[in-house]
Structures are given as C-alpha cells and as structure tokens.
Amino acid sequence: MRAFTFDTPATVADAVAQAGDGSAYLAGGTTLVDLMKLDAMTPTRVLDINRLPMRGIRLEGARLSVGALERMSDVADHPMVRARYPVVAEALLRSASPQVRNMASIGGNLLQRTRCGYFRDPDTPCNKRAPGTGCPARDGHNRAHAILGTSNDCVATHPSDLAVALVALDASVLLRNRTGERIVRLDDIYRLPENTPHLENQLHPGELLTEVSIPALDWARRSTYVKVRDRQSYEFALTSAAVALDVRGGMIRNARVAAGGVGTKPWRLPAVERALTGRPMRLDTFESAVAHAADGARPLAHNRFKPALLRRTIVRALTGLED
Amino acid sequence: MARSLLGNPVNRVDGPVKVTGQARYAADNNPPDLCHGYLLTSTIANGMVLSMDLGAAEQSGGVIAIYTPDNRLPLHGEPPFLPNVLGERRRPLSDHEVRYHGQIIGVVVADTFEQARDAAALIRVAYRELPPNSSFEENLDRGEQPPFVGLPLGVPVDIGVASIDDALAASQVTQATTYRHPPRHHNAMEPHSAVAVWKGDELTIYSGTQGPAAHAEELAVALAVDKTKVHVVSPHVGGGFGGKAFTWAPTLLAAAAARSLGRPVKIVTTREQLYTVTGHRSAVVQTMTLGAREDGTLNAIKHHSFTEALVEDPGVRTTLSFYATPNLQLRLLCPPGMNLPTPTILRAPGDETGSFALECAMDELAIRLQMDPIDLRLKNYLRTSLQTGLPYSSKHLDECYRVGAARFGWSRRRAAPRSVSDGDWLVGMGMASAVLAAGRAATTVRVLFRADGTAAVATATADLGTGMWTILAMMGAESLGIPVDRIRPSIGDSRLPVGPGSAPYGAIGSAATATVMPAVRDAADNAIAALIQHGVTHRRSPLRGLSVEQVRYRDGKLSGGGTTIGFGELLTTTRTREHGATTTNEVKESTEYVFGSYAAHFCEVRVNRFTGEALLSRMTTVVDAGTILNEKTARNQITGGVIFGIGPALFEGGHVEASTGRIDNANLADYLIPVNTDVPDIDVVFLDHPDPNVSPVGARGLGELGTIGSAAAVVNAVCNATGKRIRDLPITPDKLFE
Ligand SMILES: Cc1cc2nc3c(=O)[nH]c(=O)nc-3n(C[C@H](O)[C@H](O)[C@H](O)COP(=O)(O)OP(=O)(O)OC[C@H]3O[C@@H](n4cnc5c(N)ncnc54)[C@H](O)[C@@H]3O)c2cc1C
Ligand code: SF4
C-alpha cells in the first residue's frame, strides 16, 4: 500500500471539488482497499464518501431510484426491489458473501474492478493496470475470463452480477461532476477494452456516481437471475443470465436477456430477446432462441466450455420463469 | 468414583478462551521493542538473483534491516531426519539460486508490519532467468524411482507372482484407469507466524507447531545452539493439517533476525506466501489396474503413482491396507528437478490420494461386474495384513457398511445412472471405504498433584483444534478420579516432557489421542504411587509410618490407618507445592496384530441437468475407531475430515502456470475451499467397539479418517447421478453439463 491523503467530504459538491486524477472514492472499500493492499490500485488521495447523502430506495414517478451508497444487502432485502425486480434481488443475493454485502455499496459494485488474477498481482504484466505491458491472461490461466467483447489487449470479465441485472432492465446512473450532473444508461457506461483496457468506463476523472435509476417495467415481476459458479457462495460467475419475460396467454410478448461471466462488460443479448418475442413459452422456444447467444465468442484455452454453458444457463433461467 | 467422562460428549476446555478471543496464537504475542519482518519472494521460478536494488526500501519509513542472499542471516546445517525428507532442506537466503516461483529471497524488518511490507514492494530485483521446468504434465514421462531415504516411502512393493502383468492377464476381468489430483494446499486458518525473543543465548519463540519439541530441535540445529536453549511456546494452533509438522523458513528467519538485531522479531507469512514457502501436497497422477474374477474376487492390483517429489506415498500405504489380493505391485515415480515449491505432508498423507484412486476404481469395477459396490468390497474384505499375514485387530468395517447402508437408505440407490431426478436435478448415490493405519507412538507424560487441590497433566504435544486440551483434561480426570475442572492440562510447550522416537513430532498421523491417552493412565498410576510414598514417608504427613500397601488412593483422597485426606490437604500439610511422577510409555510393535481404523462414507449428490453444478445433499459416515473418548471432539474431527475430503472432490487445486511456475490462485478467493452452503448435513455414527489389543483404553486414531475415501464417495455419487465418470479432480460444472 502506498501513502495517500485521506479526506471525508461532507457534501457532494465538496467531494467532486476535491476529486480528480489519482483520487479514488471510498464507499464500502471491499474492492478498493483490497486492491490498494495488493498495490494494484495506488491512489494518491482517497475520499471517503460515506457521509454523503446518497442513500434511499424510493419511487420517483414510475422509476425506482437507489442511492449509490445503499448497501447490497439492504437493496436485496427491500420489499419494492423484491416485488418489482426479483432479478435484482437475486443477482445481489448470489453475489459475494453476507459479510461483503453488508459492507459493499451499489455504486461501488457497479464500478468494481475485474477479478483477473494478473490485474491483481503487480508482479505480472497487465495492460489494464499498467498500459502497454501486455496481457498474460491470454495464454495463462483464463478459465474465469471473457469470451465476448475481448480484444488482443485484454480479456478480463466484468465481475458484477448486479450490473447484468440492471443492464437487462435498462437502468441508468446519475453522475455528478464539477460542472453539473448527467444521466447515462448503465449499458453505455462500460467500455469495451479494445486497445485501451485501462479505461473501463465513461466516468470522467473525479466524477461521482450518486444514484441508480431503474425504469418501470411491470412484467419484470417475472424475472430471475441464474448464476453458475464453481462453488455455491463467495464466488464469481462462470456464466450467469438475467432474464425477464412478458408472457400472456402462453406467448412471450417481450423479453430481456443479459449475460454475465462471459463479457468484458455486462452483456445484453438483443438477438436472443428478439428470438423469444412472439413465440410460445416452451422449452423448444428457449433452445432455439439461445442458439446464437454466444455468436462472435472468442473462447480461450481454459474457458472453451463457456459458449455452451452460457446457452444452457439462459435456458435454465427461462425455464425457471414458467408458471 | 464419579460417572466416567470417557465416551461422553464433553465441551472443549479451551472453548471459552477461543470464543472470547483470549486464546493467544503465535502472532498475538507483542513483546516490548518488537519489530516486524516481511518476506520478499521471487517472481521467477528458475534462475539466479543477480542484484537487488534496496535503495528506495532502505529509505522507506521505519525500515531497520534488509536481509538478502548478499546479507544473509546465519542459518546452519541441514534439518534433522524427518524434516530433511518431508520439509524444506535448503536454508532460506543461503545462495542466489532461485528454484521456484515464490521462493524467499529477502526479509525486510521494520517498526511495523505495514512499513516492512511496503518497503519490500520497493525492492527491485534483477534476475538471470532460465526457462522453468514447472509443468507437471510435461514431466509425466520423466518419472524415476526415488532414492531410498530411510523411510518406507517410495519403496517398491511386490506381492505374489513375479510378473504382475501376467497376473492381470490371467484375470477374467481387467480394468486400468488413471486418476488425477492437482496440487493441494493446507490453507490452515492461522498462517505460519513466529515471534522470536532472545535473552542472552536463550531463545523463546512463539510459533504455531504440531510438535513443539521437534520445532525446538529443528530451530536449535539451524541456529547452532543447544536445544535446551530454545523454548517453543505454542499453546494454540489454528490448524496444522501437516503444514505445521515441520519448521519452515519464516520461523527460522524470525529467530535469526531477532538474534542479529538484538530485538524481538515477528514474521507473519501472508496467505499468498503460504502457498510457496510452507509446503503443499504434490499433484498426483495414479494408474490403478485391477484384475478380478467375474464374481468380483480380486486377483491382482497394480497401483502406480506419480508425484512432484518424494514426500507422501499414495502408492504404498493405502492399497496395502484395503483389500485382499494375492498379487500386488506398487510403484512411486517422481521426476527430478522440477521448479516447484517444496511439497510436504498434508492431512491423511498418501491415504487421501490413494483412497480416491482405489475407491473410484472399485466403484468402476462394481459397475462393470453389475455388482453392488458394497458387495464387491465385502467380497474382497481384508482380514490379515497383505505383508505380514497378521490379523487385523478388532476390525468392523463390514458393520460400518451395514449400519451406514441402513441409515443412509442405500437400498433406494438405482444402479443405472440418470434414473433418479428431482426437478431439474439428477440425483445419485455413492459410497467408499476408509482405512487408516492406526499407529500409536511412545510418549512421556508428567502428572503432578498440587497443594491447591488441582492436578497438572503435561506432555509436549499440540492441539491443532483437534481437542487435545480437552482429551487430556478428561483422561486426567478419569485416571485420578477427580472432576475435570481440577485438572490443569499443559501442552504446546517444548519444555514439557517429551517421549522418545518420533514423539517430538507431537500431533501427526492421527495418533495423538491413541498415543497420549494410555500414557496418561500409566502416568497417573505412577503419580498416585509417588503420592502414596510421599504420604507414608513425609514427617508431617498424617499417614506417616503406614506401609504403602496400607494406603489406598480413591477419587483424589488417600486413606489408610483410619485417616482419609485429600491430596491437596496432604501436600499443604507437608508444605509441598507439588508431587507426582513423569512416565514414559514405551510401545512395543505388536507381533500378534495389525491395527487400522475404518469408516464407510455414503454420499448423495444432485447435479443440475442444464448447467452441471454438483451439490451434495447429504452424507453419512460410519466410523470404527475403537473406543470413542469424547464424542463431541471425535464428531468434530470426522465432520471436519469429511469436509476436508469434499474440498478436493469439488473445488480445490492449485493452478501452476506452466510457463512461469507461478501459482495463479494463491489466495482464499481464487483457491476454492468449501463454504457453508457447499457442505451438506453430515451424519456421523461411531460404532464404539473398544480395541483391547491396541491399549487398555481401546482407542485408535481417527483424525484423518473422515478425509480418506470421502472424495471417492462424491465422485461415485456423481457417476451414479449422471453416468459420467470423472477421474480428474475437482469436479467442476464444465465437466458435467454436456
Ligand atoms: C470475496 C469477494 C467476493 C465477491 N463476490 C462477488 C460476486 O459474486 N458478485 C459481485 O457482483 N461482486 C462480488 N464481489 C465484489 C463486491 O460486490 C464489490 O467489492 C463491492 O460491491 C464494491 O462495493 P464497495 O462499496 O465496497 O466499493 P469500493 O471498494 O469502495 O469501491 C469500488 C470502486 O468504485 C469506486 N467507487 C465507489 N463508489 C463510487 C461512487 N459512488 N462514485 C464513483 N466511484 C465510486 C471506488 O473508487 C473504487 O474504484 C466480491 C467481493 C469480494 C471481496
Ligand atoms: S485480461 Fe485484462 S486485466 Fe487481465 S491481464 Fe489481461 S489486460 Fe490485465
């Protein structure tokens, strides 16, 4: 861990005024402190944002607004979240461990860094951590790595389960900077690695994520999150699927499908959504709809199973929405 | 005397201090003037350290000293016999050569742990790097018969006809299968830690160990001091699993640095460093060839095993003690000179790996012969030692099968895979056996009566969470006829009485309880005799003048000549602080019996038909380990052992990068061990048949029994559920979903 200055701003304006290049916001710290101890992140200034008024889970019009500092466990337990967006509650409950969820914030979750082991080990090269040094994961251990959205420079998976559910629901985030505020679709926040894997998202230096906003979607009451992993808790996804279906009279009228554990960002699957829409709610529909779910995938030596596992994960999730 | 405690569930006497955080583990000691060492480890697996740029680190806050191969800490000699074979032979920092990724190449000492760690990160090392030979797979055809090291390890075994291949060829059915384990790491909760304090030429060292006396001896050799000058204090150990049986570099370096600086030094190994500097279980590839008659009778077993280096012996011990067979060949091969961290023993050494291969192969044979797996095992039931022909003493493995099958509902198992399901989950059942060679070693125990009415029972063994504190207190209470709360057990200290032979190694080989218990009984008898002698001879004693025969000891009191006096009162009267005896309990190798402990495991698994996750739904383990001394600690050992076996079946394995020798998952987030949700209900049953031949107490070892065979039970259940035979652990979803 490197020496850094530490401040606890009392207002959002104060926080963004102090932030900039080389600074990091501290929310739950379950990612940041870990990475600082490993010397994988070396901010010179740490701003503890826990005093900021970025809390609350409430309806704003038809949208559900969640403050960035809400803890994962509180959001997962919230009656409105559980009733309206089961996929969000389930994605949260299948994340990390109860102890981590009690500490970790929604904002921090969406902005957590990849779990790629090379990224976390400063004794190895890594384009994301040290641009231009190379990507040992491509020929190294890459079971957990991505198959979609990868580049020659980086194949790291986006680790958040929550983000997969929120991308499926078309959620947006509210960002504050020195000059004002902007709203961006979560799906647009994440960048593909291309040849700049160190740039993970569209946040400007010092920009603060203050709120997550989930649009109304009546039929998201029929939604679920399936996560396949190597153990049953405290483990990231090999593959995951967030699905929501609008089913009437045995026919699928509308669908949302996004995948995790496979992409360099949460991976929305519009082609699968289209293939489901207008079809009967049946296993053969699901099976044919997922046929192209992993199109364009570039599997690596240790994750060749992921395209097939992804298709099966989505089918399993969809069958879970049958009456 | 009062109701016997033995055989009843008794709470741990060390429980309260543990749950209230008062138990002092090694790293909890903070003597005045303490400074902290941090290990610097290599980032290459093969080559030389050419130079180290220490400039920035030396300038970094709080740094006191930096030791490197150019500024060595004097460490001498080679480790004594056992650790020389089973631990790390080379002394840390002794030369510039790098033999594995993560080898210690420096120690930074600073005022705080954080300062030392952060300074270490500033050291720039220049290497001459050579291509590492770190790929286990690429070495499989380079196996050699290891040299003889003075132990039975790796020594070939041939029983029966001259050519095992002829015997196999003559069998009606033969089956050859190969099983693979990745490397396994101990991952004890407590990392290896040491706090070294020198006073003149005497060292007191707080360091977690399974054998305090051996630890002191090993330190004395390395530091070139007399062993009486080294005092190891290790009352509580946060898990050992074999990883704390021998002395590893962090402890040696703490002692040497403290001597060189004239200040106490603490070194706490980080989790990541534990994977390379404190030993691991080698990866293992085993080929098991079985020859049998169509009725299941085994005719030949050929078991070949391949490991990174000679340490454990998954070829010999296990297969020798499971099944009757007229012909047997066992071989162990190792490749020379791999660039991998030093392997060592790990809980159920050899037996865990060997039982996995053998018990899976037996299941495969049963399926092939369309026999019930239990019937196949009973058909080949071993009653006499394959090597000596001596009978097994008090063996009730057949009863374990019977009792287990009934409790578990084995009769509901369908032989055909994929025939039972529950929603989207395929359900399967599997079983396996466990055999543990039940040793008992010599040891020395001191029992002292004290004037305050308590009795001290002391021996230099260790409690690794195994319940030794409690067992010692119970056995003391039982033998002296006084309540447990009047017993003051002492363990975990090298100054306590130590036995001969391998006794300094304390708690290894699941033999601690079986060893210590009868010794406590003998020591108590001698202490009572000494007390009576004191009573009839001391000039202030009310019993003075009576003959020894006239005095009886019962439940803490002496009576004779119409006088009855408690031992506390007697010693108070005679102004004696304490009185008793130290007794060495020799163990003669039995010429009449061989000893084992036994278990049968049953496992039910559910496998998702879409995505292949295998979830364990329940397990039953029936144990035959002689007398059960404390049901509670015994159950805890078996449950923990079974979980320790589930680990490699479904989750565990070190990932060594072939191109760099680096372990990719050297942390508890990426190296998966079972968490609570992964562990099913485990139903443990003890048969509790005392074994009169092992000792008067009748108890055999059981600590490792839960681990032996349990992975095979899981694999066999998965095969029953899915029809897929996984021979390459761990069983991850990708191996099952297609
Ligand atoms: C053992 C373990 C297992 C885990 N398993 C899972 C899992 O299965 N699934 C999963 O999804 N996650 C998992 N996680 C990750 C966990 O969910 C994240 O660490 C957590 O959500 C991060 O939240 P935090 O509040 O602690 O963030 P912090 O660590 O405080 O911050 C994370 C990052 O976001 C930045 N940041 C935080 N808040 C803001 C903000 N409001 N505006 C701008 N930047 C901000 C920080 O500067 C930092 O870069 C696991 C973590 C651990 C330690
Ligand atoms: S995959 Fe990305 S994060 Fe991982 S080593 Fe390559 S560049 Fe670094």
Side-chain angles (χ1 to χ4, degrees), chain A residues 23-34 41 49 54 68-69 71-72 91 94-97 100 103-113 115 120 159-163 175 203 207-210 227 229 234-237, chain B residues 669:
Chain A
S23 76
Y25 293 121
L26 174 79
T30 61
T31 287
L32 182 66
V33 177
D34 263 22
M41 280 178 79
I49 56 175
M54 305 193 297
L69 284 177
R71 303 301 171 190
M72 289 169 72
R94 290 177 188 26
S95 299
S97 64
V100 173
M103 202 60 202
S105 69
I106 293 300
N109 183 289
L110 298 178
L111 298 173
Q112 64 176 293
R113 313 296 305 273
R115 304 303 289 198
R120 296 169 70 86
S160 168
D161 292 298
L162 173 66
L175 303 176
L203 267 68
E207 213 164 13
L208 183 68
L209 194 165
T210 56
K227 178 174 177 180
R229 44 184 159 172
Y234 203 67
E235 173 61 340
F236 291 86

Side-chain angles (χ1 to χ4, degrees), chain B residues 211-217 227 442-446 458-461 493-506 582-586:
Chain B
H215 209 42
E217 258 178 74
K227 72 177 178 191
T443 193
T444 301
V445 176
R446 182 176 69 210
T459 182
T461 187
D493 189 310
S494 61
R495 299 247 158 114
L496 297 175
V498 196
S502 67
Y505 286 93
T582 300
T583 304
T584 295
N585 190 280
E586 299 285 354

Side-chain angles (χ1 to χ4, degrees), chain B residues 654-691:
Chain B
H655 304 159
V656 181
E657 274 177 9
S659 59
T660 61
R662 171 180 171 272
I663 299 174
D664 174 62
N665 58 344
N667 60 71
L668 284 178
D670 294 317
Y671 182 102
L672 304 187
I673 54 172
V675 295
N676 277 333
T677 9
D678 299 309
V679 177
D681 281 339
I682 302 172
D683 174 32
V684 180
V685 186
F686 295 103
L687 296 185
D688 207 3
H689 297 308
D691 183 340

Side-chain angles (χ1 to χ4, degrees), chain A residues 114 116-119 125-129 134-138 145 153-157 197:
Chain A
T114 184
C116 171
Y118 303 96
F119 173 73
C126 167
N127 287 328
K128 191 187 274 298
R129 177 173 29 76
C135 174
R138 293 194 47 215
H145 286 70
D153 288 334
C154 182
V155 293
T157 316

Side-chain angles (χ1 to χ4, degrees), chain B residues 7 381 393-403 595-598 622-629 685-702:
Chain B
Y381 202 72
S393 168
S394 184
K395 175 171 178 176
H396 305 280
L397 179 57
D398 46 356
E399 189 179 338
C400 293
Y401 295 141
R402 221 169 36 243
V403 171
F595 298 96
S597 289
Y598 313 92
V622 183
V623 175
D624 167 31
T627 307
I628 297 303
L629 291 167
V685 186
F686 295 103
L687 296 185
D688 207 3
H689 297 308
D691 183 340
N693 305 314
V694 74
S695 76
V697 176
R700 299 182 305 239
L702 58 75

Side-chain angles (χ1 to χ4, degrees), chain B residues 326-561:
Chain B
N327 303 295
L328 177 70
Q329 184 193 66
L330 306 171
R331 293 285 183 276
L332 176 68
L333 298 176
C334 312
M338 285 194 69
N339 296 115
L340 292 174
T342 313
T344 188
I345 54 171
L346 191 150
R347 190 179 198 176
D351 294 327
E352 184 202 332
T353 21
S355 64
F356 160 62
L358 183 57
E359 287 300 278
C360 286
M362 287 297 277
D363 199 65
E364 297 196 44
L365 185 63
I367 291 170
R368 179 133 166 223
L369 298 174
Q370 299 188 335
M371 283 180 78
D372 185 283
I374 295 177
D375 294 341
L376 179 66
R377 286 166 171 85
L378 288 172
K379 187 109 206 158
N380 295 287
Y381 202 72
L382 185 64
R383 295 180 193 281
T384 56
S385 161
L386 289 180
Q387 281 184 306
T388 62
L390 292 177
Y392 276 91
S393 168
S394 184
K395 175 171 178 176
H396 305 280
L397 179 57
D398 46 356
E399 189 179 338
C400 293
Y401 295 141
R402 221 169 36 243
V403 171
R407 280 183 81 105
F408 182 77
W410 182 249
S411 60
R412 295 201 305 274
R413 172 182 178 269
R414 307 272 185 79
R418 304 182 83 91
S419 29
V420 183
S421 56
D422 177 6
D424 288 336
W425 300 84
L426 301 167
V427 184
M429 292 185 185
M431 60 82 55
S433 342
V435 180
L436 171 69
R440 199 191 132 199
T443 193
T444 301
V445 176
R446 182 176 69 210
V447 174
L448 294 176
F449 295 100
R450 291 178 172 165
D452 64 3
T454 65
V457 181
T459 182
T461 187
D463 189 328
L464 323 171
T466 42
M468 183 49 81
W469 280 107
T470 310
I471 295 271
L472 202 62
M474 284 169 61
M475 193 68 204
E478 171 88 8
S479 306
L480 298 175
I482 59 176
V484 169
D485 59 14
R486 285 173 62 194
I487 300 290
R488 298 286 173 269
S490 296
I491 52 174
D493 189 310
S494 61
R495 299 247 158 114
L496 297 175
V498 196
S502 67
Y505 286 93
I508 55 171
S510 292
T513 299
T515 296
V516 169
M517 291 313 97
V520 171
R521 181 172 281 191
D522 290 353
D525 288 346
N526 288 339
I528 289 168
L531 183 71
I532 292 173
Q533 185 66 33
H534 178 78
V536 298
T537 52
H538 197 280
R539 67 191 164 83
R540 293 185 212 274
S541 166
L543 302 172
R544 184 171 186 212
L546 294 174
S547 76
V548 168
E549 292 73 32
Q550 287 170 297
V551 181
R552 276 181 9 98
Y553 174 93
R554 226 189 116 138
D555 295 354
K557 297 190 183 78
L558 294 183
S559 16

